[in-house]
mmCIF file with all atom_site columns, all heavy atoms in Angstrom:
data_model
loop_
_atom_site.group_PDB
_atom_site.id
_atom_site.type_symbol
_atom_site.label_atom_id
_atom_site.label_alt_id
_atom_site.label_comp_id
_atom_site.label_asym_id
_atom_site.label_entity_id
_atom_site.label_seq_id
_atom_site.pdbx_PDB_ins_code
_atom_site.Cartn_x
_atom_site.Cartn_y
_atom_site.Cartn_z
_atom_site.occupancy
_atom_site.B_iso_or_equiv
_atom_site.pdbx_formal_charge
_atom_site.auth_seq_id
_atom_site.auth_comp_id
_atom_site.auth_asym_id
_atom_site.auth_atom_id
_atom_site.pdbx_PDB_model_num
ATOM 1   N N   . PHE A 1 1  ? 0.844  -1.224  0.010   1.00 0.00 ? 166 PHE A N   1
ATOM 2   C CA  . PHE A 1 1  ? 0.003  -0.011  -0.018  1.00 0.00 ? 166 PHE A CA  1
ATOM 3   C C   . PHE A 1 1  ? 0.862  1.256   -0.003  1.00 0.00 ? 166 PHE A C   1
ATOM 4   O O   . PHE A 1 1  ? 2.004  1.219   0.494   1.00 0.00 ? 166 PHE A O   1
ATOM 5   C CB  . PHE A 1 1  ? -0.959 -0.002  1.190   1.00 0.00 ? 166 PHE A CB  1
ATOM 6   C CG  . PHE A 1 1  ? -0.299 -0.275  2.519   1.00 0.00 ? 166 PHE A CG  1
ATOM 7   C CD1 . PHE A 1 1  ? 0.137  0.787   3.286   1.00 0.00 ? 166 PHE A CD1 1
ATOM 8   C CD2 . PHE A 1 1  ? -0.099 -1.562  2.970   1.00 0.00 ? 166 PHE A CD2 1
ATOM 9   C CE1 . PHE A 1 1  ? 0.784  0.536   4.483   1.00 0.00 ? 166 PHE A CE1 1
ATOM 10  C CE2 . PHE A 1 1  ? 0.531  -1.814  4.169   1.00 0.00 ? 166 PHE A CE2 1
ATOM 11  C CZ  . PHE A 1 1  ? 0.959  -0.756  4.940   1.00 0.00 ? 166 PHE A CZ  1
ATOM 12  N N   . ALA A 1 2  ? 0.350  2.328   -0.580  1.00 0.00 ? 167 ALA A N   1
ATOM 13  C CA  . ALA A 1 2  ? 1.141  3.550   -0.723  1.00 0.00 ? 167 ALA A CA  1
ATOM 14  C C   . ALA A 1 2  ? 0.301  4.621   -1.357  1.00 0.00 ? 167 ALA A C   1
ATOM 15  O O   . ALA A 1 2  ? -0.852 4.413   -1.664  1.00 0.00 ? 167 ALA A O   1
ATOM 16  C CB  . ALA A 1 2  ? 2.348  3.280   -1.570  1.00 0.00 ? 167 ALA A CB  1
ATOM 17  N N   . HIS A 1 3  ? 0.947  5.769   -1.541  1.00 0.00 ? 168 HIS A N   1
ATOM 18  C CA  . HIS A 1 3  ? 0.265  6.911   -2.215  1.00 0.00 ? 168 HIS A CA  1
ATOM 19  C C   . HIS A 1 3  ? 0.068  6.617   -3.732  1.00 0.00 ? 168 HIS A C   1
ATOM 20  O O   . HIS A 1 3  ? 0.716  5.733   -4.266  1.00 0.00 ? 168 HIS A O   1
ATOM 21  C CB  . HIS A 1 3  ? 1.234  8.114   -2.070  1.00 0.00 ? 168 HIS A CB  1
ATOM 22  C CG  . HIS A 1 3  ? 0.671  9.384   -2.569  1.00 0.00 ? 168 HIS A CG  1
ATOM 23  N ND1 . HIS A 1 3  ? -0.253 10.118  -1.845  1.00 0.00 ? 168 HIS A ND1 1
ATOM 24  C CD2 . HIS A 1 3  ? 0.849  10.079  -3.711  1.00 0.00 ? 168 HIS A CD2 1
ATOM 25  C CE1 . HIS A 1 3  ? -0.593 11.174  -2.519  1.00 0.00 ? 168 HIS A CE1 1
ATOM 26  N NE2 . HIS A 1 3  ? 0.049  11.165  -3.625  1.00 0.00 ? 168 HIS A NE2 1
ATOM 27  N N   . VAL A 1 4  ? -0.802 7.326   -4.361  1.00 0.00 ? 169 VAL A N   1
ATOM 28  C CA  . VAL A 1 4  ? -0.982 7.205   -5.811  1.00 0.00 ? 169 VAL A CA  1
ATOM 29  C C   . VAL A 1 4  ? 0.372  7.366   -6.500  1.00 0.00 ? 169 VAL A C   1
ATOM 30  O O   . VAL A 1 4  ? 1.123  8.306   -6.158  1.00 0.00 ? 169 VAL A O   1
ATOM 31  C CB  . VAL A 1 4  ? -1.903 8.362   -6.317  1.00 0.00 ? 169 VAL A CB  1
ATOM 32  C CG1 . VAL A 1 4  ? -2.133 8.259   -7.804  1.00 0.00 ? 169 VAL A CG1 1
ATOM 33  C CG2 . VAL A 1 4  ? -3.240 8.323   -5.605  1.00 0.00 ? 169 VAL A CG2 1
ATOM 34  N N   . ASP A 1 5  ? 0.707  6.505   -7.417  1.00 0.00 ? 170 ASP A N   1
ATOM 35  C CA  . ASP A 1 5  ? 1.899  6.639   -8.234  1.00 0.00 ? 170 ASP A CA  1
ATOM 36  C C   . ASP A 1 5  ? 3.228  6.409   -7.538  1.00 0.00 ? 170 ASP A C   1
ATOM 37  O O   . ASP A 1 5  ? 4.259  6.824   -7.992  1.00 0.00 ? 170 ASP A O   1
ATOM 38  C CB  . ASP A 1 5  ? 1.990  8.051   -8.907  1.00 0.00 ? 170 ASP A CB  1
ATOM 39  C CG  . ASP A 1 5  ? 1.129  8.121   -10.145 1.00 0.00 ? 170 ASP A CG  1
ATOM 40  O OD1 . ASP A 1 5  ? 0.716  7.047   -10.572 1.00 0.00 ? 170 ASP A OD1 1
ATOM 41  O OD2 . ASP A 1 5  ? 0.916  9.215   -10.660 1.00 0.00 ? 170 ASP A OD2 1
ATOM 42  N N   . ALA A 1 6  ? 3.234  5.709   -6.383  1.00 0.00 ? 171 ALA A N   1
ATOM 43  C CA  . ALA A 1 6  ? 4.502  5.414   -5.750  1.00 0.00 ? 171 ALA A CA  1
ATOM 44  C C   . ALA A 1 6  ? 5.055  4.152   -6.330  1.00 0.00 ? 171 ALA A C   1
ATOM 45  O O   . ALA A 1 6  ? 6.219  3.783   -6.113  1.00 0.00 ? 171 ALA A O   1
ATOM 46  C CB  . ALA A 1 6  ? 4.360  5.262   -4.253  1.00 0.00 ? 171 ALA A CB  1
ATOM 47  N N   . GLY A 1 7  ? 4.221  3.374   -7.094  1.00 0.00 ? 172 GLY A N   1
ATOM 48  C CA  . GLY A 1 7  ? 4.723  2.170   -7.725  1.00 0.00 ? 172 GLY A CA  1
ATOM 49  C C   . GLY A 1 7  ? 4.289  0.879   -7.115  1.00 0.00 ? 172 GLY A C   1
ATOM 50  O O   . GLY A 1 7  ? 4.977  -0.101  -7.169  1.00 0.00 ? 172 GLY A O   1
ATOM 51  N N   . LYS A 1 8  ? 3.107  0.877   -6.430  1.00 0.00 ? 173 LYS A N   1
ATOM 52  C CA  . LYS A 1 8  ? 2.640  -0.361  -5.792  1.00 0.00 ? 173 LYS A CA  1
ATOM 53  C C   . LYS A 1 8  ? 2.425  -1.474  -6.812  1.00 0.00 ? 173 LYS A C   1
ATOM 54  O O   . LYS A 1 8  ? 2.863  -2.606  -6.653  1.00 0.00 ? 173 LYS A O   1
ATOM 55  C CB  . LYS A 1 8  ? 1.288  -0.124  -5.122  1.00 0.00 ? 173 LYS A CB  1
ATOM 56  C CG  . LYS A 1 8  ? 1.320  0.822   -3.978  1.00 0.00 ? 173 LYS A CG  1
ATOM 57  C CD  . LYS A 1 8  ? -0.050 1.044   -3.447  1.00 0.00 ? 173 LYS A CD  1
ATOM 58  C CE  . LYS A 1 8  ? -0.996 1.690   -4.479  1.00 0.00 ? 173 LYS A CE  1
ATOM 59  N NZ  . LYS A 1 8  ? -0.536 2.996   -4.935  1.00 0.00 ? 173 LYS A NZ  1
ATOM 60  N N   . THR A 1 9  ? 1.683  -1.151  -7.864  1.00 0.00 ? 174 THR A N   1
ATOM 61  C CA  . THR A 1 9  ? 1.288  -2.194  -8.827  1.00 0.00 ? 174 THR A CA  1
ATOM 62  C C   . THR A 1 9  ? 2.537  -2.731  -9.549  1.00 0.00 ? 174 THR A C   1
ATOM 63  O O   . THR A 1 9  ? 2.672  -3.927  -9.757  1.00 0.00 ? 174 THR A O   1
ATOM 64  C CB  . THR A 1 9  ? 0.230  -1.622  -9.805  1.00 0.00 ? 174 THR A CB  1
ATOM 65  O OG1 . THR A 1 9  ? -0.869 -1.188  -9.007  1.00 0.00 ? 174 THR A OG1 1
ATOM 66  C CG2 . THR A 1 9  ? -0.275 -2.683  -10.741 1.00 0.00 ? 174 THR A CG2 1
ATOM 67  N N   . THR A 1 10 ? 3.449  -1.830  -9.897  1.00 0.00 ? 175 THR A N   1
ATOM 68  C CA  . THR A 1 10 ? 4.685  -2.233  -10.544 1.00 0.00 ? 175 THR A CA  1
ATOM 69  C C   . THR A 1 10 ? 5.461  -3.164  -9.606  1.00 0.00 ? 175 THR A C   1
ATOM 70  O O   . THR A 1 10 ? 6.008  -4.195  -10.015 1.00 0.00 ? 175 THR A O   1
ATOM 71  C CB  . THR A 1 10 ? 5.544  -1.031  -10.898 1.00 0.00 ? 175 THR A CB  1
ATOM 72  O OG1 . THR A 1 10 ? 4.759  -0.134  -11.669 1.00 0.00 ? 175 THR A OG1 1
ATOM 73  C CG2 . THR A 1 10 ? 6.756  -1.394  -11.761 1.00 0.00 ? 175 THR A CG2 1
ATOM 74  N N   . THR A 1 11 ? 5.485  -2.833  -8.294  1.00 0.00 ? 176 THR A N   1
ATOM 75  C CA  . THR A 1 11 ? 6.203  -3.678  -7.325  1.00 0.00 ? 176 THR A CA  1
ATOM 76  C C   . THR A 1 11 ? 5.563  -5.056  -7.314  1.00 0.00 ? 176 THR A C   1
ATOM 77  O O   . THR A 1 11 ? 6.267  -6.070  -7.278  1.00 0.00 ? 176 THR A O   1
ATOM 78  C CB  . THR A 1 11 ? 6.119  -3.034  -5.925  1.00 0.00 ? 176 THR A CB  1
ATOM 79  O OG1 . THR A 1 11 ? 6.645  -1.679  -6.039  1.00 0.00 ? 176 THR A OG1 1
ATOM 80  C CG2 . THR A 1 11 ? 6.924  -3.777  -4.920  1.00 0.00 ? 176 THR A CG2 1
ATOM 81  N N   . THR A 1 12 ? 4.201  -5.109  -7.305  1.00 0.00 ? 177 THR A N   1
ATOM 82  C CA  . THR A 1 12 ? 3.541  -6.385  -7.336  1.00 0.00 ? 177 THR A CA  1
ATOM 83  C C   . THR A 1 12 ? 3.889  -7.197  -8.551  1.00 0.00 ? 177 THR A C   1
ATOM 84  O O   . THR A 1 12 ? 4.150  -8.406  -8.504  1.00 0.00 ? 177 THR A O   1
ATOM 85  C CB  . THR A 1 12 ? 1.989  -6.185  -7.293  1.00 0.00 ? 177 THR A CB  1
ATOM 86  O OG1 . THR A 1 12 ? 1.663  -5.281  -6.238  1.00 0.00 ? 177 THR A OG1 1
ATOM 87  C CG2 . THR A 1 12 ? 1.252  -7.527  -7.096  1.00 0.00 ? 177 THR A CG2 1
ATOM 88  N N   . GLU A 1 13 ? 3.921  -6.520  -9.727  1.00 0.00 ? 178 GLU A N   1
ATOM 89  C CA  . GLU A 1 13 ? 4.313  -7.189  -10.990 1.00 0.00 ? 178 GLU A CA  1
ATOM 90  C C   . GLU A 1 13 ? 5.702  -7.811  -10.829 1.00 0.00 ? 178 GLU A C   1
ATOM 91  O O   . GLU A 1 13 ? 5.962  -8.929  -11.270 1.00 0.00 ? 178 GLU A O   1
ATOM 92  C CB  . GLU A 1 13 ? 4.373  -6.184  -12.148 1.00 0.00 ? 178 GLU A CB  1
ATOM 93  C CG  . GLU A 1 13 ? 3.038  -5.669  -12.612 1.00 0.00 ? 178 GLU A CG  1
ATOM 94  C CD  . GLU A 1 13 ? 2.256  -6.736  -13.328 1.00 0.00 ? 178 GLU A CD  1
ATOM 95  O OE1 . GLU A 1 13 ? 2.821  -7.377  -14.258 1.00 0.00 ? 178 GLU A OE1 1
ATOM 96  O OE2 . GLU A 1 13 ? 1.062  -6.934  -12.990 1.00 0.00 ? 178 GLU A OE2 1
ATOM 97  N N   . ARG A 1 14 ? 6.668  -7.075  -10.218 1.00 0.00 ? 179 ARG A N   1
ATOM 98  C CA  . ARG A 1 14 ? 8.041  -7.596  -10.084 1.00 0.00 ? 179 ARG A CA  1
ATOM 99  C C   . ARG A 1 14 ? 8.070  -8.792  -9.136  1.00 0.00 ? 179 ARG A C   1
ATOM 100 O O   . ARG A 1 14 ? 8.819  -9.736  -9.398  1.00 0.00 ? 179 ARG A O   1
ATOM 101 C CB  . ARG A 1 14 ? 8.948  -6.509  -9.526  1.00 0.00 ? 179 ARG A CB  1
ATOM 102 C CG  . ARG A 1 14 ? 9.126  -5.333  -10.465 1.00 0.00 ? 179 ARG A CG  1
ATOM 103 C CD  . ARG A 1 14 ? 9.466  -5.785  -11.854 1.00 0.00 ? 179 ARG A CD  1
ATOM 104 N NE  . ARG A 1 14 ? 9.582  -4.694  -12.756 1.00 0.00 ? 179 ARG A NE  1
ATOM 105 C CZ  . ARG A 1 14 ? 8.671  -4.206  -13.521 1.00 0.00 ? 179 ARG A CZ  1
ATOM 106 N NH1 . ARG A 1 14 ? 7.472  -4.729  -13.474 1.00 0.00 ? 179 ARG A NH1 1
ATOM 107 N NH2 . ARG A 1 14 ? 8.890  -3.236  -14.359 1.00 0.00 ? 179 ARG A NH2 1
ATOM 108 N N   . ILE A 1 15 ? 7.250  -8.765  -8.091  1.00 0.00 ? 180 ILE A N   1
ATOM 109 C CA  . ILE A 1 15 ? 7.233  -9.912  -7.167  1.00 0.00 ? 180 ILE A CA  1
ATOM 110 C C   . ILE A 1 15 ? 6.765  -11.132 -7.959  1.00 0.00 ? 180 ILE A C   1
ATOM 111 O O   . ILE A 1 15 ? 7.303  -12.229 -7.814  1.00 0.00 ? 180 ILE A O   1
ATOM 112 C CB  . ILE A 1 15 ? 6.288  -9.589  -5.992  1.00 0.00 ? 180 ILE A CB  1
ATOM 113 C CG1 . ILE A 1 15 ? 6.902  -8.508  -5.091  1.00 0.00 ? 180 ILE A CG1 1
ATOM 114 C CG2 . ILE A 1 15 ? 6.034  -10.860 -5.154  1.00 0.00 ? 180 ILE A CG2 1
ATOM 115 C CD1 . ILE A 1 15 ? 6.077  -8.064  -3.952  1.00 0.00 ? 180 ILE A CD1 1
ATOM 116 N N   . LEU A 1 16 ? 5.701  -10.936 -8.801  1.00 0.00 ? 181 LEU A N   1
ATOM 117 C CA  . LEU A 1 16 ? 5.192  -12.087 -9.569  1.00 0.00 ? 181 LEU A CA  1
ATOM 118 C C   . LEU A 1 16 ? 6.226  -12.594 -10.578 1.00 0.00 ? 181 LEU A C   1
ATOM 119 O O   . LEU A 1 16 ? 6.366  -13.790 -10.827 1.00 0.00 ? 181 LEU A O   1
ATOM 120 C CB  . LEU A 1 16 ? 3.899  -11.659 -10.296 1.00 0.00 ? 181 LEU A CB  1
ATOM 121 C CG  . LEU A 1 16 ? 2.737  -11.341 -9.398  1.00 0.00 ? 181 LEU A CG  1
ATOM 122 C CD1 . LEU A 1 16 ? 1.521  -10.946 -10.199 1.00 0.00 ? 181 LEU A CD1 1
ATOM 123 C CD2 . LEU A 1 16 ? 2.369  -12.515 -8.494  1.00 0.00 ? 181 LEU A CD2 1
ATOM 124 N N   . LYS A 1 17 ? 6.984  -11.645 -11.142 1.00 0.00 ? 182 LYS A N   1
ATOM 125 C CA  . LYS A 1 17 ? 8.013  -12.065 -12.138 1.00 0.00 ? 182 LYS A CA  1
ATOM 126 C C   . LYS A 1 17 ? 9.128  -12.841 -11.428 1.00 0.00 ? 182 LYS A C   1
ATOM 127 O O   . LYS A 1 17 ? 9.539  -13.906 -11.862 1.00 0.00 ? 182 LYS A O   1
ATOM 128 C CB  . LYS A 1 17 ? 8.572  -10.772 -12.786 1.00 0.00 ? 182 LYS A CB  1
ATOM 129 C CG  . LYS A 1 17 ? 9.778  -11.002 -13.698 1.00 0.00 ? 182 LYS A CG  1
ATOM 130 C CD  . LYS A 1 17 ? 9.393  -11.381 -15.075 1.00 0.00 ? 182 LYS A CD  1
ATOM 131 C CE  . LYS A 1 17 ? 10.591 -11.375 -16.016 1.00 0.00 ? 182 LYS A CE  1
ATOM 132 N NZ  . LYS A 1 17 ? 11.057 -12.703 -16.330 1.00 0.00 ? 182 LYS A NZ  1
ATOM 133 N N   . LEU A 1 18 ? 9.550  -12.320 -10.297 1.00 0.00 ? 183 LEU A N   1
ATOM 134 C CA  . LEU A 1 18 ? 10.652 -12.985 -9.586  1.00 0.00 ? 183 LEU A CA  1
ATOM 135 C C   . LEU A 1 18 ? 10.281 -14.332 -9.050  1.00 0.00 ? 183 LEU A C   1
ATOM 136 O O   . LEU A 1 18 ? 11.073 -15.231 -8.960  1.00 0.00 ? 183 LEU A O   1
ATOM 137 C CB  . LEU A 1 18 ? 11.113 -12.089 -8.401  1.00 0.00 ? 183 LEU A CB  1
ATOM 138 C CG  . LEU A 1 18 ? 12.076 -11.006 -8.708  1.00 0.00 ? 183 LEU A CG  1
ATOM 139 C CD1 . LEU A 1 18 ? 12.285 -10.114 -7.538  1.00 0.00 ? 183 LEU A CD1 1
ATOM 140 C CD2 . LEU A 1 18 ? 13.400 -11.608 -9.136  1.00 0.00 ? 183 LEU A CD2 1
ATOM 141 N N   . THR A 1 19 ? 8.984  -14.482 -8.667  1.00 0.00 ? 184 THR A N   1
ATOM 142 C CA  . THR A 1 19 ? 8.576  -15.744 -8.061  1.00 0.00 ? 184 THR A CA  1
ATOM 143 C C   . THR A 1 19 ? 8.071  -16.715 -9.199  1.00 0.00 ? 184 THR A C   1
ATOM 144 O O   . THR A 1 19 ? 7.485  -17.722 -8.924  1.00 0.00 ? 184 THR A O   1
ATOM 145 C CB  . THR A 1 19 ? 7.445  -15.537 -7.065  1.00 0.00 ? 184 THR A CB  1
ATOM 146 O OG1 . THR A 1 19 ? 6.386  -14.786 -7.648  1.00 0.00 ? 184 THR A OG1 1
ATOM 147 C CG2 . THR A 1 19 ? 7.914  -14.742 -5.870  1.00 0.00 ? 184 THR A CG2 1
ATOM 148 N N   . GLY A 1 20 ? 8.258  -16.275 -10.430 1.00 0.00 ? 185 GLY A N   1
ATOM 149 C CA  . GLY A 1 20 ? 7.946  -17.182 -11.555 1.00 0.00 ? 185 GLY A CA  1
ATOM 150 C C   . GLY A 1 20 ? 6.480  -17.284 -11.883 1.00 0.00 ? 185 GLY A C   1
ATOM 151 O O   . GLY A 1 20 ? 6.052  -18.229 -12.549 1.00 0.00 ? 185 GLY A O   1
ATOM 152 N N   . LYS A 1 21 ? 5.655  -16.367 -11.370 1.00 0.00 ? 186 LYS A N   1
ATOM 153 C CA  . LYS A 1 21 ? 4.214  -16.497 -11.669 1.00 0.00 ? 186 LYS A CA  1
ATOM 154 C C   . LYS A 1 21 ? 3.808  -15.931 -13.037 1.00 0.00 ? 186 LYS A C   1
ATOM 155 O O   . LYS A 1 21 ? 2.837  -16.352 -13.620 1.00 0.00 ? 186 LYS A O   1
ATOM 156 C CB  . LYS A 1 21 ? 3.413  -15.751 -10.586 1.00 0.00 ? 186 LYS A CB  1
ATOM 157 C CG  . LYS A 1 21 ? 3.151  -16.595 -9.366  1.00 0.00 ? 186 LYS A CG  1
ATOM 158 C CD  . LYS A 1 21 ? 2.276  -17.811 -9.663  1.00 0.00 ? 186 LYS A CD  1
ATOM 159 C CE  . LYS A 1 21 ? 2.235  -18.774 -8.478  1.00 0.00 ? 186 LYS A CE  1
ATOM 160 N NZ  . LYS A 1 21 ? 1.640  -20.037 -8.777  1.00 0.00 ? 186 LYS A NZ  1
ATOM 161 N N   . ILE A 1 22 ? 4.587  -14.916 -13.492 1.00 0.00 ? 187 ILE A N   1
ATOM 162 C CA  . ILE A 1 22 ? 4.287  -14.404 -14.846 1.00 0.00 ? 187 ILE A CA  1
ATOM 163 C C   . ILE A 1 22 ? 5.605  -14.390 -15.592 1.00 0.00 ? 187 ILE A C   1
ATOM 164 O O   . ILE A 1 22 ? 6.673  -14.189 -15.004 1.00 0.00 ? 187 ILE A O   1
ATOM 165 C CB  . ILE A 1 22 ? 3.670  -12.978 -14.820 1.00 0.00 ? 187 ILE A CB  1
ATOM 166 C CG1 . ILE A 1 22 ? 4.440  -12.069 -13.893 1.00 0.00 ? 187 ILE A CG1 1
ATOM 167 C CG2 . ILE A 1 22 ? 2.206  -13.019 -14.433 1.00 0.00 ? 187 ILE A CG2 1
ATOM 168 C CD1 . ILE A 1 22 ? 3.945  -10.617 -13.954 1.00 0.00 ? 187 ILE A CD1 1
ATOM 169 N N   . HIS A 1 23 ? 5.563  -14.531 -16.908 1.00 0.00 ? 188 HIS A N   1
ATOM 170 C CA  . HIS A 1 23 ? 6.794  -14.562 -17.685 1.00 0.00 ? 188 HIS A CA  1
ATOM 171 C C   . HIS A 1 23 ? 7.020  -13.245 -18.395 1.00 0.00 ? 188 HIS A C   1
ATOM 172 O O   . HIS A 1 23 ? 8.115  -12.758 -18.500 1.00 0.00 ? 188 HIS A O   1
ATOM 173 C CB  . HIS A 1 23 ? 6.775  -15.709 -18.647 1.00 0.00 ? 188 HIS A CB  1
ATOM 174 C CG  . HIS A 1 23 ? 6.613  -17.034 -17.907 1.00 0.00 ? 188 HIS A CG  1
ATOM 175 N ND1 . HIS A 1 23 ? 7.559  -17.484 -17.040 1.00 0.00 ? 188 HIS A ND1 1
ATOM 176 C CD2 . HIS A 1 23 ? 5.530  -17.888 -17.836 1.00 0.00 ? 188 HIS A CD2 1
ATOM 177 C CE1 . HIS A 1 23 ? 7.131  -18.612 -16.507 1.00 0.00 ? 188 HIS A CE1 1
ATOM 178 N NE2 . HIS A 1 23 ? 5.899  -18.882 -16.939 1.00 0.00 ? 188 HIS A NE2 1
ATOM 179 N N   . LYS A 1 24 ? 5.908  -12.670 -18.851 1.00 0.00 ? 189 LYS A N   1
ATOM 180 C CA  . LYS A 1 24 ? 6.081  -11.330 -19.494 1.00 0.00 ? 189 LYS A CA  1
ATOM 181 C C   . LYS A 1 24 ? 5.557  -10.298 -18.487 1.00 0.00 ? 189 LYS A C   1
ATOM 182 O O   . LYS A 1 24 ? 4.469  -10.426 -17.973 1.00 0.00 ? 189 LYS A O   1
ATOM 183 C CB  . LYS A 1 24 ? 5.204  -11.280 -20.756 1.00 0.00 ? 189 LYS A CB  1
ATOM 184 C CG  . LYS A 1 24 ? 5.124  -9.918  -21.382 1.00 0.00 ? 189 LYS A CG  1
ATOM 185 C CD  . LYS A 1 24 ? 4.103  -9.908  -22.503 1.00 0.00 ? 189 LYS A CD  1
ATOM 186 C CE  . LYS A 1 24 ? 3.881  -8.516  -23.028 1.00 0.00 ? 189 LYS A CE  1
ATOM 187 N NZ  . LYS A 1 24 ? 3.206  -7.642  -22.083 1.00 0.00 ? 189 LYS A NZ  1
#
C-alpha cells in the first residue's frame, strides 16, 4: 500500500516475475 503513483502495482508485478508467476 502507498500513495498514488509510488509504484505499488509495478512492485507487485516484479514480485510475480521474480517468483515465476508471470513470464512477461
Side-chain angles (χ1 to χ4, degrees):
F166 50 92
H168 186 77
V169 180
D170 279 348
K173 296 175 295 300
T174 302
T175 307
T176 305
T177 309
E178 288 289 312
R179 294 313 179 265
I180 291 177
L181 294 180
K182 171 85 171 103
L183 276 172
T184 55
K186 275 296 172 192
I187 47 174
H188 301 294
K189 171 187 172 294

